Amino acid sequence: MSKIPTREEAYQLLTQYTKSESLIKHALSVEGVMRHYAKKLNEDVEYWGAVALMHDLDYEQYPDQHCKKVVEILEEHGIDSGMIRSIVSHGYNICSDVEPTHIMEKVLYTIDELTGLVTAAALMRPSKSVMDLEYSSLWKKYKNVKFAAGVDRAIIEKGCQMWDADLKEVIEEVIVAMRGIADDIGLG
């Protein structure tokens, strides 16, 4: 029997397989943005949040098997196969051949990298906070490929194309969403 985990169960799985504080904060950032978008798009906030919390479940322990080992882990815990598919799709053309098809998958694919850029930009500010980070400041950093060089801008842009989203609007929404959880992710 497959199950949809509660937020608490998803968080428990996250912390069972992930010990790195920065990876946990990343998962919380992605969760906050996904919940924000779920509300905005009138989708299932709890479901989107749980997918976000578990999206990198295998990354710390099995980096070479990212988006592969997570299938095995989540199947062992009886997690819903549709949810597992959505999680795997965030690695499309990176470490997975599962294409994002549902709006939730497309949003996750788009914002996963972008949350990392927002975090890096916030940490560079004198305030070390997302609360005073504005689009114009982030856009300058976005265009400078040497800044947060590990953030693949092409993925963000391809993700926006997948769901006909405007890049500027997505960046603005991600900043707003991360402000809503700033204290939880250490950027308050």
Side-chain angles (χ1 to χ4, degrees):
M1 184 171 127
S2 64
K3 73 175 197 171
I4 306 294
T6 63
R7 195 236 179 238
E8 293 73 28
E9 291 167 335
Y11 184 79
Q12 186 175 21
L13 279 171
L14 168 67
T15 56
Q16 180 179 340
Y17 289 91
T18 307
K19 303 305 176 193
S20 160
E21 185 181 348
S22 65
L23 287 175
I24 290 171
K25 284 180 180 178
H26 169 68
L28 292 172
S29 297
V30 173
E31 178 200 21
V33 174
M34 290 297 286
R35 286 174 162 272
H36 172 86
Y37 266 109
K39 285 180 204 159
K40 185 175 173 65
L41 299 171
N42 203 25
E43 295 282 344
D44 185 337
V45 174
E46 295 304 315
Y47 189 92
W48 283 40
V51 166
L53 280 174
M54 299 184 297
H55 85 282
D56 280 345
L57 202 68
D58 60 358
Y59 187 76
E60 184 176 55
Q61 291 184 31
Y62 309 99
D64 296 337
Q65 298 176 61
H66 183 43
C67 290
K68 292 171 183 55
K69 190 70 174 177
V70 73
V71 174
E72 180 184 317
I73 292 168
L74 293 177
E75 283 177 348
E76 285 174 12
H77 289 278
I79 302 301
D80 175 72
S81 61
M83 187 172 259
I84 295 171
R85 184 215 180 280
S86 293
I87 289 166
V88 172
S89 77
H90 91 275
Y92 181 60
N93 279 344
I94 307 159
C95 55
S96 158
D97 60 0
V98 177
E99 185 174 357
T101 55
H102 184 276
I103 184 65
M104 177 199 51
E105 297 168 349
K106 294 173 184 181
V107 173
L108 177 61
Y109 179 85
T110 306
I111 63 95
D112 184 25
E113 293 279 310
L114 189 50
T115 60
L117 186 74
V118 172
T119 298
L123 291 172
M124 293 298 295
R125 302 185 68 70
S127 65
K128 305 250 186 271
S129 172
V130 74
M131 301 310 284
D132 60 356
L133 178 65
E134 296 297 332
Y135 168 80
S136 58
S137 174
L138 187 65
W139 183 245
K140 286 177 191 157
K141 296 198 179 336
Y142 184 94
K143 291 190 304 184
N144 176 2
V145 293
K146 290 180 181 170
F147 179 79
V151 173
D152 191 334
R153 277 89 163 152
I155 291 173
I156 297 166
E157 291 162 16
K158 180 177 177 157
C160 286
Q161 291 170 356
M162 284 181 183
W163 53 296
D164 296 322
D166 178 75
L167 178 60
K168 179 180 191 279
E169 288 175 17
V170 171
I171 291 171
E172 289 172 339
E173 289 292 334
V174 168
I175 292 170
V176 167
M178 289 177 69
R179 283 180 185 159
I181 55 160
D183 289 339
D184 297 333
I185 58 174
L187 299 175

